Amino acid sequence: ILWNQKEKKAVLIKRKHLLSNAKQEQLKMLMILILLHIHVAAAFLTPQSFVDKSPATARRSTLTQYAKKDSLNAIDDPFEILGRDTFQKYFEFPIDSWQAKAGGEIVEGRNVIACAPTGAGKTVVGEMALHLAFHSGRNAIYTTPLKALSNQKFAELRSSFGSKNVGLATGDMSINRGAQIMVMTTEVYRNMAWRAIDEEIEESEDEMLDDVISSKGRSELSNLACVVLDEFHYMGQKGRGGVWEECVITSPSHTQIVALSATLPNAANLAQWMQKVSDRHSTLIMNDSGRPVPLRFMYANRDGIEFIFSNRDAGPGAPLGLLGYRGDGVPESQQKKKKKTKSDEVGITKHLEEFGIPQYPKGLQMNHKLKSAMRKRSERINRLVAKRSLEGDDRRKFQRNRRDDSVERRISPREERKQRERILKQEMRKEVPSLHFLVRRLNQIDLLPAIFFLFSRVGCDEAAGSICHQMKKQAAFKASKEQRSPIDSNDKKGRKSRQRSAKKEDSLLMKDGKGRTFRSESNFITEETMTSIIDGADIYVDEEITNPLEDENLHSYADRGLLTYSQVKEVASRIKLFNEANEEIKFSDENIDRFLHGVGSHHAGHLPAHKAFVESLFRKQLMRIVFATETLAAGINMPARTTVITNMAKRGEGGTMNLLETANMLQMAGRAGRRGMDTDGTCVLVATPFEGVEEGIDILISEIKPVESQFSPGYALAVNLIARGKGKLDVAQTLVQKSFAIWEKQQAQEKLETVKEIHGDAFDEIIEQVAHEQFLDCLNDLIGKDRNKKVFDILEDKQLLKKASKSFTGLNQILNLEESTLGYLEKELQAINQIDDDLDKDGMLDLLSEDNVNIETEILNQKRRIRKANEDVSNHIMTYMAVEANTLLKSSITGVDDLKAALRLSRKNSVDIEADSNVTPTELTYFVKSAVTMNRKRRKQKNAAKSNDMGNSALIDQLANAEEEDDSLEDLCALINVLQAYGCIVPTDESSDKSSPSYRITTAGENVGLLGLDNSLWALVAMGGAWDVLEASADLDKFKAELNSLGTHDNSGLFDDFDDDPLFDDIDEFDNGSGKEHSAESQEVESDLTVPLPQAEAATLVDQLRALEPDEIAGYVSCLVADSPRGGGASVLSSFQQLSHEQQKVIQSSLLSLERLSEVQNKYSVDETARKVQVELGTCEVVTAWTAGCSWNEALEISGSAPGDLVRILHRVLDSLRQIGNLPVNAVRSINANAGIIQMESTGIHPDVRQLCREAATAMDRYPVKDPLPFEDDEDTDDDHESDEDVDHESDEDANHESDEDADQVPLIKDNDEEVEG
């Protein structure tokens, strides 16, 4: 019977196998037919221009694969058809459908905002706009936020449009200025747009405008067809974001705007705002298909590298996106179902509550291997805490039987929590892998080349050196092992292969310190094991680097480094060429050693030439690893297969450590897998002592913050807006009202009006209830399980929260009753104690004594009840919740602004609660009750939020935007008041109407409008070109006079430490720090008071400046524009002592001007972002020395700064000197005190001072700070008192720079692209 069953089963299996084979053959034939049909259809549907007749290169293979997907589909969008027909001929690869659609919109003359993930080809859209303008004979501008990115784009466009047709203008360099296509930093274009005049204004014959705006400035943008604003999401960056906003607001009406941005949540709002501002149809084009080169995310610790998510194809930018979370990616319900395994259920759902991980889609949840490691770590921490909480016999008993519940803890819960946190930090510190371990593992799994992001310049350099040291150490270990186990080269060929393989296998084995054996090339060796193996070997590493470029050393680099021998030779050849051409800044042997290993570093502390060299090596696959700061993530095209993010937190404002924002992390991750270079990219998050995989998941999946307006007007913008309005403020007010913040406020008000119409009188009540609920939700999100698990659990469960609220209300009522009872008893006792002495005579007091004792006893008992009730209230969970809320409200962590906004709206109608007071538990119970009422109403009817598709958070945001006061117009008025006080603008006779004043721009005002500095008015004042003509700082003079009458003479407090210094004994020209010389002139001014004191001070400052040498004035200008050196630099006293005698006099006088301007700015309430004034002495010495002719190495030694920092300082000073020296020619009247003429208009910078600035710039402009930006011709004249000898005409050297098209230089502004690193 058994045999028959087996035979029957075998027959059935054989039949099934035969049927399966037949089905497989049928499927094969069907697939062949389908492929043939697709091939034929593609041949007919694909345009001829799509066919690349030349052999396809490896770089374009990926592009072609992705483009074929679009070519198979019928094109219905007319804009896409128009874009393909117009622009496909300019590109060697098929353009994507969204790119073609953007091109069609550009052809139609519309503004375009193109949003796409990093590496998706946004720059193609920008190049389309350039092609359209170029072939129509008009000009175009391409802007980038970084100088390095501008340089790279300049090189790319030259190859496309020809070298003669492309120019470059950055803070460092100007090449072929006036070309048809210009590449520049965004600040440079902003300055040009300030001075641009629309066609209708340009046709005006207003003489004032002709004086203020040069013909060169007018013609620069008159033929501008389009401007491309790359990295448009920088608009939300604090400090610089206002530059992009000003570019949109002030661009000429005939100029088309093409903005390229990463994905933004409020991109649609930006497009609507741009359309309203520019009065041109604006279209948002988004690439919803995801990254063309998908990303995958991994996590690295000492145990190895694992995928972060349970689905390796999930994540931002991954093939499946966020699996439908927030509408991103492919939902899991649409994916092919697979059978659930037990490990899936245990690893994904069982431990979610244990670790507090949000309920994301299953594919976005933590990899079960990482979760298992976390669970083991948690169990280990619990054992250690339990062990340390016991003593003596209890500890031994615990070790014998860990499940013995009879053993009690000997420490408090608070101490237990501290121990748990301490042990957790120790455990997390143990998980941090070394960089060498990461490099070794990435190399094994073929994930190089890679960019390692570190937020420290020193860390980047040290990491590169450490990797090279470990390579040498491992090579020495390998060599020592080969010496101990040599392979006999005389083995006969007939020897058994088993013996040969045994010897080969033995050469690949390693032993650690514990005697365990491992394969050297194994992918499963942990960091701890690898360290034990190498440290246990007796090896010697020669750290001395001698002649690394010698040919006999190149083989050793190929053996131990990451490059092949041919690559090492190529790198050595390039280094030799660079060093021969750049003797003064040649690479050190240490850097050469790193380059030959295939390792480099890249940060702002390096010279631009050195950074460009590293970028070129990396692009040519001659460098496998780069350690860089986050500035490298801003769009520089470097072929990285992998990005490694070594820190998940960064030091922010105030020195606090904050988790990285999602946008910043995705920007860095997006450098991996560049289109046309890789089929996919990998981002590796590295474990840190403070952050783990949970924080990494939260950052990656969190929503990107929307762009917020950073618009803030400055002095230069105010002057140029007045010029646009022909002296009226109408244009200025109109343009300021076009800011994105005001537009958002208007939109919010419109939405709220709709909500008010729906709910009528109940609107305020609903808003208050929504604010209460939002406050509790924000508090829940901010607290989390890690901060306070008990409070988090209560906030998470609405029923528990309701019970806790009622419980606290009951306890609070009991406390109030007990306190009322105590008050009644005390009053009764007081009444008994006040019995008259007559009662004592009658013997009545003895009768009441017993009652007195009873009442006192009852009072004592009542006080005990009150203490007990107070303890119950203080230990209640609602009290703990209030403490956590107040702690968060005083912090600056991410998300606390939403909490503050909800609290502010909650207290809007509360009269008895101060806005800034602490949150009380009673107030929280009221919030809970209100939230419960709100939920009850929602079940009965739709509330305001739901009826408008607006959640609580959105409604609160709209309320905050609508109620937030925009003070841009007030800031502009404050700036205008200061400009008027300093004689830069003067009211005209037409300005009798106070509601519509009119101004005339003076020479000083013209200077302010042309200077592109942080505070152009301060630069003008510090150079003696403007002063307080209206004496708005008279209160300061009165205050000084009162101090002098009391015997106090220090006017600034800056030189308090200088009183006892012998250096100042020789400086007796100054009278009690007043800044005026003891000369007949000053005494006459003081006695006659023919001119105001501010004018006299300005005259003294001008005379002192004219007495300086070019190198001295360069040092002085650095005090006005350069930032303080990194690390603090020398003390103020030490820096002041290094200055020349003439420089010290000028510094003393400038402090008087600084005080006066600060006083006026405070008086008119100028915004902090526009009021910055400084006299920074830390850079004066090195700038003076460099201008005087010191060598580069000497300058580095004097400054003590990194080469990149020093170059940036010198460039900034050089740019400022050129701006001052290139100001237009204007006749200058004398402001000398002896002349006795009171000037009601500031005269601008003196010609002699401008001439000194030009000479100083010429002296500074030498290698490696060489900047080929010539000066314009300037023949200075002074109609009042200068003779021919006083007019210092330009030298022959200056004249040599006047003969090309770059002669009319537009003042440039510094580029604030230096990274802020911890």
Side-chain angles (χ1 to χ4, degrees):
I1 294 174
L2 288 174
W3 185 87
N4 289 334
Q5 290 178 349
K6 290 181 179 180
E7 185 68 20
K8 186 177 180 180
K9 186 175 181 180
V11 171
L12 291 175
I13 292 174
K14 188 173 182 180
R15 271 186 202 170
K16 186 176 181 180
H17 182 68
L18 292 173
L19 289 173
S20 176
N21 289 341
K23 288 182 178 180
Q24 288 181 5
E25 292 296 328
Q26 293 176 0
L27 286 174
K28 285 182 181 179
M29 293 300 297
L30 182 61
M31 288 299 298
I32 291 173
L33 291 174
I34 291 173
L35 289 174
L36 285 173
H37 280 292
I38 290 175
H39 182 73
V40 174
F44 284 99
L45 290 176
T46 304
Q48 187 64 27
S49 58
F50 280 27
V51 181
D52 187 5
K53 298 180 179 179
S54 60
T57 60
R59 264 178 197 279
R60 300 298 180 185
S61 60
T62 306
L63 293 174
T64 306
Q65 293 173 7
Y66 283 93
K68 283 181 179 179
K69 297 179 181 179
D70 293 331
S71 65
L72 296 178
N73 300 323
I75 301 175
D76 298 327
D77 194 326
F79 288 102
E80 183 177 346
I81 297 174
L82 178 61
R84 288 193 187 277
D85 293 343
T86 306
F87 297 112
Q88 181 59 68
K89 57 188 175 184
Y90 300 123
F91 299 96
E92 299 177 357
F93 52 90
I95 57 178
D96 293 338
S97 59
W98 69 274
Q99 293 170 334
K101 184 177 180 180
E105 299 280 357
I106 292 172
V107 173
E108 289 296 312
R110 299 178 176 181
N111 294 335
V112 172
I113 298 181
C115 289
T118 303
K122 295 186 294 291
T123 56
V124 172
V125 177
E127 291 177 10
M128 290 177 179
L130 300 183
H131 279 289
L132 184 65
F134 179 77
H135 292 286
S136 62
R138 300 186 65 188
N139 296 341
I141 292 178
Y142 194 105
T143 71
T144 71
L146 305 177
K147 292 187 288 287
L149 197 55
S150 297
N151 297 337
Q152 177 180 307
K153 199 64 190 176
F154 171 67
E156 294 176 1
L157 294 180
R158 290 181 73 181
S159 61
S160 300
F161 295 93
S163 301
K164 296 181 180 180
N165 299 317
V166 182
L168 175 68
T170 68
D172 292 344
M173 191 172 296
S174 178
I175 301 175
N176 196 18
R177 195 172 190 87
Q180 193 172 352
I181 294 176
M182 288 295 300
V183 181
M184 58 183 64
T185 49
T186 316
E187 280 84 356
V188 176
Y189 174 72
R190 187 270 308 269
N191 294 345
M192 297 170 63
W194 274 349
R195 294 179 287 276
I197 303 179
D198 291 337
E199 293 180 359
E200 60 273 14
I201 298 178
E202 187 176 351
E203 294 174 357
S204 172
E205 297 179 357
D206 194 301
E207 295 182 358
M208 181 191 70
L209 290 179
D210 290 339
D211 291 338
V212 174
I213 309 296
S214 65
S215 60
K216 178 69 178 179
R218 177 181 290 115
S219 62
E220 276 183 321
L221 302 185
S222 60
N223 194 36
L224 182 64
C226 73
V227 56
V228 180
L229 302 176
D230 201 356
E231 307 293 342
F232 190 63
H233 50 270
Y234 268 63
M235 179 176 157
Q237 188 182 71
K238 291 184 179 180
R240 293 186 69 197
V243 176
W244 278 258
E245 202 165 347
E246 291 176 27
C247 289
V248 175
I249 293 173
T250 60
S251 288
S253 58
H254 60 270
T255 300
Q256 186 179 11
I257 300 174
V258 178
L260 312 178
S261 171
T263 304
L264 296 174
N266 60 339
N269 291 344
L270 288 171
Q272 295 175 23
W273 164 74
M274 183 181 290
Q275 178 168 317
K276 183 177 180 180
V277 168
S278 63
D279 198 22
R280 181 191 293 260
H281 191 286
S282 301
T283 304
L284 172 64
I285 302 295
M286 299 190 68
N287 177 19
D288 298 327
S289 59
R291 282 174 54 98
V293 182
L295 273 177
R296 288 177 174 83
F297 295 90
M298 306 185 78
Y299 182 75
N301 54 22
R302 292 179 71 92
D303 295 331
I305 302 177
E306 295 288 345
F307 286 98
I308 290 180
F309 301 111
S310 59
N311 187 337
R312 64 180 58 186
D313 291 333
L320 300 179
L322 297 183
L323 303 178
Y325 183 64
R326 293 200 309 270
D328 186 330
V330 182
E332 292 180 329
S333 59
Q334 300 179 11
Q335 299 174 28
K336 185 178 179 180
K337 298 292 184 180
K338 66 175 183 179
K339 187 177 180 181
K340 290 185 179 180
T341 62
K342 185 176 180 180
S343 61
D344 289 334
E345 297 176 357
V346 174
I348 294 176
T349 58
K350 183 178 179 181
H351 304 288
L352 284 176
E353 289 297 325
E354 181 179 356
F355 301 110
I357 299 173
Q359 290 286 347
Y360 299 128
K362 291 185 177 180
L364 285 180
Q365 293 171 8
M366 192 186 303
N367 186 347
H368 70 278
K369 292 183 179 180
L370 298 175
K371 193 181 296 295
S372 176
M374 285 181 58
R375 184 173 63 253
K376 291 179 181 178
R377 184 184 68 188
S378 179
E379 294 172 353
R380 189 163 58 250
I381 292 174
N382 291 334
R383 289 197 301 269
L384 291 173
V385 170
K387 180 179 178 181
R388 294 183 183 182
S389 64
L390 305 176
E391 298 178 357
D393 295 337
D394 290 340
R395 178 175 294 181
R396 288 189 289 271
K397 187 176 180 180
F398 173 80
Q399 292 174 346
R400 289 194 302 269
N401 186 6
R402 293 177 178 173
R403 298 184 179 180
D404 190 355
D405 297 332
S406 64
V407 180
E408 297 182 355
R409 296 180 301 183
R410 299 294 180 86
I411 60 175
S412 64
R414 182 179 180 183
E415 182 63 27
E416 179 183 344
R417 185 171 63 252
K418 288 184 177 180
Q419 283 198 10
R420 188 178 299 277
E421 292 175 354
R422 191 180 306 115
I423 296 173
L424 177 61
K425 289 181 180 179
Q426 294 174 358
E427 292 293 325
M428 294 185 70
R429 191 173 290 110
K430 293 178 182 178
E431 295 181 3
V432 179
S434 68
L435 292 174
H436 178 255
F437 174 75
L438 287 176
V439 171
R440 180 176 179 273
R441 185 56 55 87
L442 292 175
N443 194 25
Q444 288 175 343
I445 58 180
D446 195 25
L447 288 182
L448 295 182
I451 299 175
F452 283 70
F453 286 106
L454 290 82
F455 302 141
S456 168
R457 299 181 185 181
V458 176
C460 290
D461 294 332
E462 290 180 349
S466 174
I467 289 296
C468 295
H469 169 75
Q470 290 294 333
M471 289 180 183
K472 296 175 184 177
K473 194 173 182 179
Q474 191 167 1
F477 169 78
K478 185 178 180 181
S480 63
K481 181 170 180 61
E482 290 176 353
Q483 291 177 2
R484 290 193 299 268
S485 302
I487 299 178
D488 188 1
S489 59
N490 296 324
D491 288 345
K492 295 182 179 180
K493 294 182 179 181
R495 187 173 297 226
K496 294 181 180 180
S497 60
R498 182 181 59 185
Q499 295 178 354
R500 290 198 301 269
S501 62
K503 284 185 174 290
K504 181 178 180 181
E505 183 176 347
D506 181 66
S507 65
L508 297 175
L509 297 179
M510 303 183 298
K511 290 186 178 180
D512 65 355
K514 299 180 181 179
R516 297 176 296 182
T517 304
F518 300 89
R519 289 182 177 272
S520 61
E521 300 300 326
S522 174
N523 291 338
F524 302 99
I525 299 180
T526 63
E527 162 118 20
E528 184 179 0
T529 302
M530 193 65 194
T531 303
S532 175
I533 292 172
I534 296 180
D535 292 344
D538 185 16
I539 57 178
Y540 170 74
V541 178
D542 186 8
E543 293 292 341
E544 185 177 357
I545 304 172
T546 56
N547 300 325
L549 294 176
E550 296 294 334
D551 293 339
E552 58 269 15
N553 295 329
L554 299 184
H555 281 286
S556 62
Y557 284 108
D559 293 339
R560 63 174 180 255
L562 300 173
L563 303 177
T564 63
Y565 178 69
S566 60
Q567 290 175 326
V568 171
K569 286 184 64 178
E570 177 67 18
V571 172
S573 174
R574 289 174 175 269
I575 294 173
K576 289 178 181 178
L577 291 175
F578 182 91
N579 287 349
E580 291 173 359
N582 306 274
E583 182 64 27
E584 196 166 3
I585 59 170
K586 64 180 182 181
F587 289 111
S588 63
D589 288 344
E590 183 180 13
N591 282 325
I592 295 173
D593 180 68
R594 296 171 184 174
F595 294 162
L596 295 178
H597 277 98
V599 180
S601 58
H602 185 289
H603 56 73
H606 291 160
L607 289 171
H610 288 180
K611 290 192 291 184
F613 186 83
V614 171
E615 293 167 13
S616 66
L617 289 183
F618 202 80
R619 276 195 293 268
K620 295 182 180 297
Q621 306 293 326
L622 298 176
M623 183 174 287
R624 305 284 286 171
I625 294 174
V626 168
F627 295 96
T629 51
E630 60 178 332
T631 52
L632 193 65
I636 295 178
N637 187 16
M638 295 178 65
R641 179 170 297 173
T642 304
T643 56
V644 182
I645 302 175
T646 60
N647 300 92
M648 286 182 267
K650 183 181 176 182
R651 194 174 303 280
E653 296 180 2
T656 58
M657 295 296 295
N658 302 320
L659 288 178
L660 291 176
E661 293 186 359
T662 303
N664 292 344
M665 178 170 282
L666 294 182
Q667 183 85 357
M668 290 184 282
R671 295 305 103 198
R674 301 307 299 266
R675 188 174 187 180
M677 299 177 182
D678 300 296
T679 56
D680 58 4
T682 303
C683 175
V684 180
L685 305 185
V686 182
T688 73
F690 309 100
E691 297 87 28
V693 64
E694 316 101 297
E695 288 79 8
I697 291 177
D698 289 341
I699 296 173
L700 289 173
I701 299 181
S702 296
E703 192 172 3
I704 298 175
K705 291 184 178 180
V707 169
E708 296 181 357
S709 175
Q710 303 296 327
F711 178 75
S712 179
Y715 288 109
L717 178 62
V719 171
N720 285 288
L721 291 181
I722 292 174
R724 274 197 173 195
K726 304 179 184 179
K728 297 282 188 179
L729 295 183
D730 300 342
V731 174
Q733 293 172 351
T734 302
L735 289 179
V736 169
Q737 291 293 326
K738 289 183 176 181
S739 69
F740 184 56
I742 293 181
W743 181 86
E744 283 189 311
K745 181 179 179 180
Q746 294 171 350
Q747 296 297 310
Q749 290 174 344
E750 292 176 2
K751 292 181 180 179
L752 290 178
E753 287 298 326
T754 304
V755 178
K756 287 182 180 179
E757 291 178 0
I758 296 174
H759 295 282
D761 298 336
F763 175 76
D764 292 337
E765 181 183 357
I766 290 175
I767 291 302
E768 186 177 355
Q769 292 174 346
V770 168
H772 295 161
E773 187 177 19
Q774 179 66 11
F775 181 85
L776 296 174
D777 292 341
C778 291
L779 186 62
N780 184 27
D781 295 337
L782 291 174
I783 288 178
K785 244 182 185 179
D786 295 335
R787 186 180 181 94
N788 193 320
K789 185 177 183 299
K790 293 181 179 179
V791 175
F792 174 80
D793 291 340
I794 293 293
L795 288 169
E796 190 74 9
D797 192 329
K798 301 303 180 184
Q799 293 298 324
L800 290 178
L801 182 61
K802 182 179 177 181
K803 292 180 180 179
S805 175
K806 289 184 176 180
S807 172
F808 180 83
T809 302
L811 289 176
N812 203 32
Q813 291 176 351
I814 292 173
L815 177 60
N816 292 333
L817 289 174
E818 298 290 358
E819 290 176 345
S820 299
T821 304
L822 177 62
Y824 172 78
L825 292 173
E826 289 178 342
K827 287 182 180 180
E828 188 174 352
L829 179 63
Q830 184 179 6
I832 294 176
N833 290 334
Q834 291 178 351
I835 294 179
D836 193 79
D837 293 339
D838 295 339
L839 294 178
D840 190 19
K841 295 178 182 179
D842 297 337
M844 295 296 295
L845 189 60
D846 293 335
L847 295 175
L848 298 174
S849 61
E850 184 176 353
D851 291 338
N852 193 359
V853 172
N854 291 335
I855 291 176
E856 289 178 348
T857 303
E858 190 63 29
I859 287 175
L860 292 176
N861 293 334
Q862 191 65 23
K863 288 182 177 179
R864 282 195 291 269
R865 294 190 192 100
I866 291 175
R867 283 197 298 270
K868 178 65 170 59
N870 271 320
E871 290 177 0
D872 292 340
V873 171
S874 300
N875 295 327
H876 198 273
I877 190 65
M878 298 301 293
T879 304
Y880 292 151
M881 191 181 299
V883 172
E884 291 291 345
N886 292 322
T887 303
L888 288 170
L889 287 170
K890 295 176 183 177
S891 67
S892 59
I893 63 175
T894 303
V896 76
D897 292 338
D898 297 335
L899 187 69
K900 292 179 180 178
L903 181 62
R904 185 174 63 254
L905 290 173
S906 300
R907 293 175 170 178
K908 182 179 179 181
N909 300 322
S910 300
V911 181
D912 55 341
I913 301 178
E914 296 182 1
D916 297 332
S917 60
N918 287 337
V919 178
T920 62
T922 304
E923 190 176 10
L924 287 178
T925 58
Y926 177 66
F927 288 177
V928 174
K929 182 179 179 181
S930 177
V932 172
T933 305
M934 188 73 177
N935 289 328
R936 190 180 300 118
K937 288 182 178 180
R938 280 179 183 162
R939 290 192 294 267
K940 295 180 180 180
Q941 61 182 5
K942 294 182 178 181
N943 72 335
K946 298 298 181 182
S947 61
N948 288 278
D949 295 328
M950 195 188 310
N952 286 351
S953 178
L955 186 58
I956 294 296
D957 291 341
Q958 297 295 343
L959 280 168
N961 289 334
E963 296 183 354
E964 184 177 357
E965 295 183 2
D966 186 86
D967 50 3
S968 299
L969 192 57
E970 288 76 6
D971 292 341
L972 180 65
C973 293
L975 297 173
I976 291 174
N977 289 332
V978 176
L979 290 169
Q980 184 177 349
Y982 269 78
C984 297
I985 56 176
V986 179
T988 62
D989 297 335
E990 303 174 0
S991 60
S992 57
D993 184 7
K994 295 183 179 180
S995 62
S996 179
S998 178
Y999 297 96
R1000 177 174 57 83
I1001 301 175
T1002 66
T1003 302
E1006 177 186 347
N1007 290 170
V1008 171
L1010 292 175
L1011 290 176
L1013 304 175
D1014 288 340
N1015 189 335
S1016 53
L1017 178 61
W1018 163 237
L1020 187 69
V1021 170
M1023 301 301 289
W1027 61 91
D1028 181 12
V1029 299
L1030 299 184
E1031 298 188 70
S1033 58
D1035 292 340
L1036 178 64
D1037 295 328
K1038 294 178 181 178
F1039 178 71
K1040 287 183 179 180
E1042 292 177 1
L1043 288 181
N1044 290 333
S1045 65
L1046 297 175
T1048 306
H1049 60 272
D1050 187 12
N1051 65 327
S1052 64
L1054 182 61
F1055 296 96
D1056 289 340
D1057 300 330
F1058 297 172
D1059 294 337
D1060 300 330
D1061 194 277
L1063 174 68
F1064 291 87
D1065 294 339
D1066 298 332
I1067 305 178
D1068 51 6
E1069 289 85 357
F1070 300 101
D1071 180 20
N1072 293 332
S1074 64
K1076 291 183 294 182
E1077 298 182 4
H1078 276 287
S1079 61
E1081 297 177 0
S1082 61
Q1083 291 176 3
E1084 182 179 351
V1085 171
E1086 291 176 2
S1087 60
D1088 297 340
L1089 294 177
T1090 55
V1091 297
L1093 185 58
Q1095 182 178 337
E1097 291 173 353
T1100 301
L1101 179 57
V1102 170
D1103 291 340
Q1104 293 170 347
L1105 288 170
R1106 293 170 66 186
L1108 295 179
E1109 296 294 329
D1111 59 320
E1112 293 175 331
I1113 202 167
Y1116 173 66
V1117 170
S1118 73
C1119 299
L1120 309 179
V1121 299
D1123 295 330
S1124 57
R1126 291 174 63 90
S1131 65
V1132 175
L1133 175 59
S1134 175
S1135 299
F1136 189 82
Q1137 289 175 338
Q1138 301 300 321
L1139 306 182
S1140 66
H1141 177 69
E1142 296 298 328
Q1143 283 178 319
Q1144 291 173 355
K1145 292 167 62 178
V1146 173
I1147 292 295
Q1148 189 83 341
S1149 295
S1150 67
L1151 291 176
L1152 296 173
S1153 302
L1154 183 147
E1155 268 188 325
R1156 201 171 290 281
L1157 179 58
S1158 299
E1159 175 69 17
V1160 176
Q1161 290 186 143
N1162 289 333
K1163 179 178 180 179
Y1164 292 112
S1165 303
V1166 176
D1167 184 66
E1168 293 183 358
T1169 57
R1171 66 191 300 173
K1172 178 183 177 182
V1173 292
Q1174 68 173 42
V1175 178
E1176 174 57 56
L1177 303 181
T1179 59
C1180 185
E1181 181 187 4
V1182 64
V1183 174
T1184 302
W1186 176 256
T1187 311
C1190 76
S1191 66
W1192 176 249
N1193 292 329
E1194 291 172 342
L1196 286 174
E1197 184 178 354
I1198 294 172
S1199 68
S1201 303
D1205 292 333
L1206 180 56
V1207 165
R1208 195 156 37 253
I1209 290 170
L1210 296 175
H1211 273 304
R1212 187 170 300 176
V1213 176
L1214 176 59
D1215 177 57
S1216 302
L1217 289 169
R1218 282 178 166 156
Q1219 291 191 45
I1220 297 172
N1222 278 342
L1223 290 174
V1225 182
N1226 288 291
V1228 178
R1229 292 185 178 182
S1230 174
I1231 60 173
N1232 194 295
N1234 284 334
I1237 301 175
I1238 298 178
Q1239 298 282 356
M1240 296 308 296
E1241 298 180 13
S1242 295
T1243 56
I1245 298 179
H1246 196 280
D1248 291 349
V1249 176
R1250 288 189 281 116
Q1251 176 65 25
L1252 286 171
C1253 291
R1254 287 196 297 273
E1255 294 176 1
T1258 301
M1260 287 187 68
D1261 193 18
R1262 54 193 177 90
Y1263 193 78
V1265 193
K1266 181 68 176 176
D1267 185 0
L1269 192 63
F1271 289 112
E1272 62 182 57
D1273 190 12
D1274 185 5
E1275 296 179 359
D1276 296 328
T1277 60
D1278 192 328
D1279 295 340
D1280 273 8
H1281 65 277
E1282 286 189 350
S1283 63
D1284 294 339
E1285 295 177 357
D1286 294 329
V1287 181
D1288 188 2
H1289 296 282
E1290 294 163 331
S1291 63
D1292 294 337
E1293 183 178 2
D1294 291 337
N1296 291 335
H1297 295 285
E1298 300 171 1
S1299 58
D1300 57 20
E1301 66 250 22
D1302 295 344
D1304 293 318
Q1305 179 254 341
V1306 173
L1308 305 182
I1309 192 172
K1310 67 176 183 179
D1311 295 324
N1312 301 314
D1313 61 346
E1314 303 90 1
E1315 65 267 21
V1316 181
E1317 296 150 359

